Amino acid sequence: MTKQPVVGTIIIGILVILQGLWALALALDLALVRDINPTTVLIATLLGLAVLLIIIALWPRPSTRESTRETIQFSPVSLDQAEAGMTAKKQDIVADLRWLDSAEAVTVPIITQARATILADPARLAIRTSSPDVDIDTSLAMTWAGRSGSQNIYLGPGLTDPAQAHLTVDVAAAALTVRPH
């Protein structure tokens, strides 16, 4: 991975090229530059460069906090991986749990300080979350079943108790989105 050059490096490179061309023009004794004092040109160039660098340093930069936030894809390939879940600090998590179809109950913990997106089949699904911002796709036909401590419980269609769910997702995130696909 190569880094992009810094603006200051580019400006210094341009300055060196201009000074080199100026010295070449003086050496070739071109009529255009013969009557101009080289010290005046050097001082004017350096002052212009200093002003330009100050302007670049003070120019407001866009916030890269949101644009650099990574999204972690979580698609467990075994029940053990699903039960281990996913924990991230400030990254968004997209957990694809649509394939999980177990005869035994499975609980998947998803923990992040950012947004968590769950892709799941609503049949026999329960979601426990303390997230203040919850967006559940209406096509899932999930219903709010109440609170358990500080967590809200959402149940898939046909479920009346969280114990009936084959897939329970425990989500601790700033925001939660649940989608079928």
Side-chain angles (χ1 to χ4, degrees), residues 117-128:
T117 302
I118 309 297
L119 305 175
D121 179 15
R124 319 236 344 141
L125 170 67
I127 295 177
R128 293 188 298 227

Side-chain angles (χ1 to χ4, degrees), residues 7-8 11 51-61:
V7 174
I11 292 173
V51 169
L52 188 60
L53 287 174
I54 290 171
I55 290 171
I56 290 171
L58 298 176
W59 197 268
R61 293 176 183 87

Side-chain angles (χ1 to χ4, degrees), residues 5 15-16 80 98 139:
L15 173 68
V16 169
D80 290 337
R98 294 174 289 187
S139 66

Side-chain angles (χ1 to χ4, degrees), residues 6-30:
V6 188
V7 174
T9 305
I10 293 171
I11 292 173
I12 291 171
I14 292 171
L15 173 68
V16 169
I17 290 172
L18 289 175
Q19 294 297 323
L21 289 174
W22 179 259
L24 181 63
L26 285 175
L28 294 176
D29 198 30
L30 294 176

Side-chain angles (χ1 to χ4, degrees), residues 2-125:
T2 61
K3 288 188 172 186
Q4 295 295 326
V6 188
V7 174
T9 305
I10 293 171
I11 292 173
I12 291 171
I14 292 171
L15 173 68
V16 169
I17 290 172
L18 289 175
Q19 294 297 323
L21 289 174
W22 179 259
L24 181 63
L26 285 175
L28 294 176
D29 198 30
L30 294 176
L32 178 68
V33 295
R34 192 176 311 136
D35 298 331
I36 301 174
N37 186 356
T39 307
T40 305
V41 172
L42 179 63
I43 292 172
T45 305
L46 290 175
L47 285 175
L49 177 66
V51 169
L52 188 60
L53 287 174
I54 290 171
I55 290 171
I56 290 171
L58 298 176
W59 197 268
R61 293 176 183 87
S63 174
T64 57
R65 184 176 170 195
E66 293 297 320
S67 63
T68 59
R69 181 184 289 176
E70 295 179 26
T71 299
I72 297 175
Q73 301 290 329
F74 175 59
S75 299
V77 294
S78 69
L79 289 178
D80 290 337
Q81 286 179 338
E83 288 174 340
M86 172 55 68
T87 301
K89 282 212 171 234
K90 295 182 180 179
Q91 293 90 0
D92 291 345
I93 296 176
V94 176
D96 188 355
L97 307 175
R98 294 174 289 187
W99 70 273
L100 289 176
D101 187 20
S102 173
E104 60 190 57
V106 177
T107 300
V108 180
I110 305 290
I111 302 167
T112 182
Q113 293 175 359
R115 175 172 289 281
T117 302
I118 309 297
L119 305 175
D121 179 15
R124 319 236 344 141
L125 170 67

